[in-house]
Amino acid sequence: MDFTRYLKEYPDEKGYFGKFGGAYLPPQLVPAFKEINEAYLTICRSSQFINELRRIRREFQGRPTPVYHCERLSRKIGNCQIYLKREDLNHTGAHKLNHCMGEGLLAKFMGKKRIIAETGAGQHGVALATAAAFFGLSCTIYMGEVDIKKQAPNVTRMKVLGAEVVPVSTGLKTLKEAVDAAFEDYLANYEDTIYCIGSAVGPHPFPRIVRDFQMVVGLEAREQFMEMTGFLPDVVTACVGGGSNAIGMFEAFLNDPVEIVGAEPLGRGEKLGDHAASVTYGSEGIMHGFNSIMLKDEKGEPAPVYSVASGLDYPSSGPEHAFLHECGRVKYEAVSDEEAIGAFFKLSRFEGIIPALESSHAVALAMRRAKEMGTGTILVNLSGRGDKDMDYVTEHYGTGENYMDF
Ligand SMILES: *Cc1c(COP(=O)(O)O)cnc(C)c1O
């Protein structure tokens, strides 16, 4: 496949990447998504919008984030050199702000007064509440009661930032019910509200909008890497939950002679329910308003999934990943909890960088590849910092002395 015109051709105007994507919506929501799509297509070409987003990225988010050469970690493994794109140094500590600031600016340009979303672990809620505070928009975040109990510090952060956190007490009281509640709110209020999705998933145009806002990661990283080394990396990798940080990184390298690999969460193992490696083990299906690859139970419903990294704990991935997998341009490999924990401790100990558990999956994949390759270079998207994971990791895995073997 030729990727020179890829960004112009995918998604098509109905939001399809090949057979994946689309917008499977209740009829009442069709006009709301159409309005967002039309506004985005106009605004994304406006120099006022582009310049304002550039200014925000520079002055508020702290972009560009650096690319960093992990010399000590690389030497421990052999001669292959590992580099990190430091999205952990983005304001609020992860890549999610890249699309939340874009979505907030879009809401502002559309004249909306309010942004809403659901959140599972709370990371998307915090990033969106940050964007709302910056733009002076009101913000409502739906969160399952079970998740509210588990993620108390993020709930407090959202409230301090001025967001209203609405507990959802239906069904299993987690992410799925929170999605339903947020959609219901949107249905009633779309005249003054926009719904802001947390990853490169959901009905068209969100997979495209989120991808476009995340592409800053890959575009910066490609240029920085070339400037540092004079070459392209041999391998580019990132962790894949819904797939936003990965798609932002991968997109810039699609037309290059570079191997691209997504790191999916293998959790405790290959059995359904023990992992969330949806591209690796899933099959085609429609969920949450889009057609993609998903993990299904025997009834064809979204299966229960698990990963030590709560941000990767989702039974599907964005439609563009399903497409890039199908056409063979991007490979997807699964990384277990144990491997990710090992990478978490090693990157901390040998580089002084404590990665998010999500990002640790990508670091683990890079370390595995570095060992196999023996030489060459690997560029990893370090999607976020690990402060949020410290308590959980130390309680369950100690402080890492048992994870120092190479
Ligand atoms: C949410 C999150 C992820 C997973 O989301 P994607 O949309 O797959 O990128 C990865 N890393 C961090 C640090 C996160 O907070």
Side-chain angles (χ1 to χ4, degrees):
M1 199 173 136
D2 175 14
F3 283 90
T4 42
R5 291 183 46 80
Y6 179 80
L7 281 176
K8 289 208 165 58
E9 288 167 5
Y10 297 96
D12 69 14
E13 68 212 38
K14 293 218 163 75
Y16 282 92
F17 302 85
K19 65 183 172 184
F20 301 109
Y24 300 80
L25 292 164
Q28 315 92 294
L29 271 178
V30 171
F33 277 74
K34 193 159 165 258
E35 186 200 354
I36 296 180
N37 189 41
E38 282 169 4
Y40 178 72
L41 289 177
T42 313
I43 288 165
C44 74
R45 295 192 189 94
S46 124
S47 57
Q48 202 193 350
F49 183 86
I50 294 167
N51 289 337
E52 182 62 4
L53 191 58
R54 279 204 187 120
R55 187 185 69 81
I56 291 166
R57 297 233 188 276
R58 191 175 60 240
E59 294 174 10
F60 182 68
Q61 287 185 237
R63 304 204 69 90
T65 57
V67 165
Y68 170 74
H69 181 192
C70 296
E71 289 183 52
R72 281 160 302 281
L73 183 69
S74 303
R75 204 178 309 129
K76 284 273 178 193
I77 301 166
N79 282 324
C80 181
Q81 302 303 312
I82 297 174
Y83 292 75
L84 307 176
K85 174 61 171 166
R86 298 288 309 274
E87 288 305 293
D88 61 317
L89 296 177
N90 205 6
H91 177 44
T92 72
H95 73 286
K96 283 195 177 71
L97 203 65
N98 296 330
H99 60 253
C100 286
M101 294 309 287
E103 288 172 328
L105 189 63
L106 180 64
K108 196 90 185 171
F109 269 67
M110 288 173 74
K112 306 287 182 187
K113 304 273 180 293
R114 179 169 175 264
I115 51 184
I116 62 168
E118 75 289 334
T119 194
Q123 296 300 110
H124 176 51
V126 172
L128 198 66
T130 303
F134 178 93
F135 290 109
L137 297 162
S138 86
C139 180
T140 305
I141 304 293
Y142 289 89
M143 194 167 179
E145 272 183 352
V146 170
D147 292 328
I148 288 184
K149 285 212 186 80
K150 276 203 229 159
Q151 310 289 344
N154 276 342
V155 176
T156 313
R157 278 184 198 110
M158 286 183 260
K159 289 183 176 164
V160 167
L161 289 160
E164 178 196 15
V165 181
V166 180
V168 179
S169 56
T170 50
L172 295 173
K173 306 177 188 178
T174 64
L175 185 63
K176 187 188 170 298
E177 292 77 21
V179 174
D180 295 341
F183 263 84
E184 229 167 84
D185 178 325
Y186 191 43
L187 202 51
N189 298 301
Y190 68 80
E191 266 159 35
D192 72 346
T193 297
I194 76 171
Y195 175 61
C196 295
I197 266 172
S199 185
V201 297
H204 178 63
F206 281 104
R208 188 228 163 135
I209 293 181
V210 170
R211 170 194 79 185
D212 290 359
F213 288 145
Q214 286 295 345
M215 269 178 56
V216 66
V217 176
L219 294 173
E220 280 177 12
R222 188 177 182 282
E223 200 179 306
Q224 290 165 317
F225 189 90
M226 298 273 287
E227 200 167 287
M228 284 169 86
T229 67
F231 299 96
L232 285 164
D234 296 304
V235 176
V236 168
T237 188
C239 64
V240 183
S244 66
N245 88 87
I247 208 71
M249 184 65 154
F250 294 171
E251 213 75 0
F253 296 93
L254 287 179
N255 200 34
D256 291 327
V258 167
E259 186 185 351
I260 306 177
V261 192
E264 290 208 293
L266 184 61
R268 292 182 285 249
E270 291 182 7
K271 203 160 95 323
L272 191 67
D274 280 349
H275 64 81
S278 38
V279 181
T280 307
Y281 297 108
S283 54
E284 187 179 346
I286 295 169
M287 185 183 103
H288 296 162
F290 63 105
N291 186 39
S292 188
I293 300 186
M294 60 187 261
L295 294 166
K296 302 175 199 169
D297 64 14
E298 60 286 354
K299 288 197 217 100
E301 296 294 312
V305 285
Y306 161 82
S307 165
V308 70
S310 53
L312 301 181
D313 197 345
Y314 184 64
S316 181
S317 284
E320 195 164 1
H321 286 289
F323 177 65
L324 292 170
H325 169 74
E326 192 188 55
C327 63
R329 178 63 188 93
V330 178
K331 294 188 193 114
Y332 295 80
E333 289 178 18
V335 172
S336 69
D337 281 3
E338 273 298 306
E339 274 182 288
I341 294 290
F344 175 94
F345 285 126
K346 288 182 181 108
L347 190 68
S348 302
R349 184 91 35 126
F350 296 110
E351 297 292 349
I353 298 170
I354 301 176
L357 281 176
E358 291 81 4
S359 326
S360 301
H361 285 71
V363 176
L365 193 137
M367 288 167 53
R368 189 201 280 172
R369 274 302 171 101
K371 207 177 265 180
E372 288 165 10
M373 287 158 60
T375 160
T377 55
I378 305 178
L379 175 61
V380 184
N381 192 9
L382 196 76
S383 55
R385 67 178 181 223
D387 307 48
K388 67 184 178 64
D389 299 314
M390 284 312 291
D391 290 348
Y392 180 86
V393 170
T394 49
E395 187 182 319
H396 291 84
Y397 302 94
T399 45
E401 294 76 10
N402 301 333
Y403 287 86
M404 291 302 131
D405 300 340
F406 280 89

